[in-house]
Amino acid sequence: MDRRRFLQLSGASLMLWPTAPVWAQTTNSATSTAGKKLVWVLLRGALDSLHTVIPVADNNLRQHRPKLTDGWLPSALPLSSEFALHPSLKNLHSWYQSGQFSPIVAVGSGYDSRSHFDGQDFLESGLGQIDHDSGWLARAINSRHAQGLAIAQTTPIAFRSAEQVMEWFPSRFRLSKEDTYAALMDMYEETPSMLTSLQEGLAARDLLALDQAKENKKATFKSLAAACGTLMTSDNGPDCAMLELGGWDTHNNQVNRLNRQLTELDQGLAALKESLGDEWRNTVVVVSTEFGRTVRENGTAGTDHGTASCMLVAGGAMKGGSVLGAWPGLEEQQLFQGRDLMPTSSAFRWWATILAQHWGLTESQLQTVLPGSPRYEVNLMRQS
């Protein structure tokens, strides 16, 4: 790689952000939903919903999972007479009590295999088939003439084909000294596009208050979520963002691993809320995963790839405080293919419901964004 190209990439690694006029000129056709924020969190690796939104009233759970339910289950946080929340999800539980969070049980995407990568691609496409060139969030922001933000090192499928999307991720380069940036400014003086990229990268760095210790430290979900909220509330900031959190493939040692994972998720969502500030009241956060896990525990204190999981929906714009979805039961004859939680609702249809009620997308727009996935007749949003 030549020096000029390396310096160009170094500057761009700070921030990939369209120029200000592009953001400022965008208009919103749905004036009643102007300013509404949407954040999608993808949990890569297949979250075990039975360990997250726990069906405490279904006695079959303990029969299928004698080791995985031993010890910690009595400390689960009550949601209703039938369900409880994992004890690590303290912030989500508080939001549930204040009507800002609802879990949805037994959710599937329609994907009929158990491959992580294909399952994630299928989910991000939102088309009922894998399309690596077009994602559901991209089509949603295109329909609304909105702007997107991917907190990622490369454009995720969910945002591919988007007309206006930026990517941000903390640079892995050592933080350059200010005189280095000054030299780069001089070098780029005759190349406006490169100069603009560097200037916007530096502006984003200053906005996020990144110091050397923070920038050289491994990015955590909590820090990324906080940065996401900061960018979304900046002048002409994006309307929609996507975050990712891996590590959910719990084939072994599931109890300890999910204690850590769910704590990280819960603290990250709390950091997102804090950084959004007053904009939290206009925000909906949707947490999804590619598929669930087996109902029965395996021989290594874990679970294997399954089918249905749960969806978590939170935010100040939410009309929460109830467990949504239809519970299929855990009797042998109620399991999908005799091993998995049976899906009773579609992730795509829940997304369509949220897009219609939160962003005001029309039926024709929804057919473009999530074809063949009509919205559910349930009110998820507060009255504005």
Side-chain angles (χ1 to χ4, degrees), residues 5 8 14 137 153 168 256 310 331 343 378:
R5 177 59 176 157
Q8 181 180 9
L14 290 167
L137 281 178
Q153 298 183 64
W168 177 85
N256 292 330
C310 62
E331 296 279 357
V378 57

Side-chain angles (χ1 to χ4, degrees), residues 207-270:
L207 176 65
L208 297 174
L210 295 175
D211 58 27
Q212 185 168 357
K214 291 179 180 178
E215 185 148 325
N216 290 336
K217 185 179 178 181
K218 179 181 178 181
T220 64
F221 179 69
K222 182 178 180 180
S223 66
L224 295 175
C228 177
T230 300
L231 291 170
M232 293 188 80
T233 55
S234 62
D235 292 341
N236 297 315
D239 307 285
C240 175
M242 178 180 173
L243 286 156
E244 306 174 7
L245 180 59
W248 302 94
D249 195 16
T250 51
H251 287 286
N252 55 66
N253 192 26
Q254 177 167 301
V255 172
N256 292 330
R257 291 174 65 185
L258 282 188
N259 282 344
R260 294 192 299 270
Q261 288 289 121
L262 291 171
T263 298
E264 184 176 14
L265 174 64
D266 191 63
Q267 292 179 351
L269 294 177

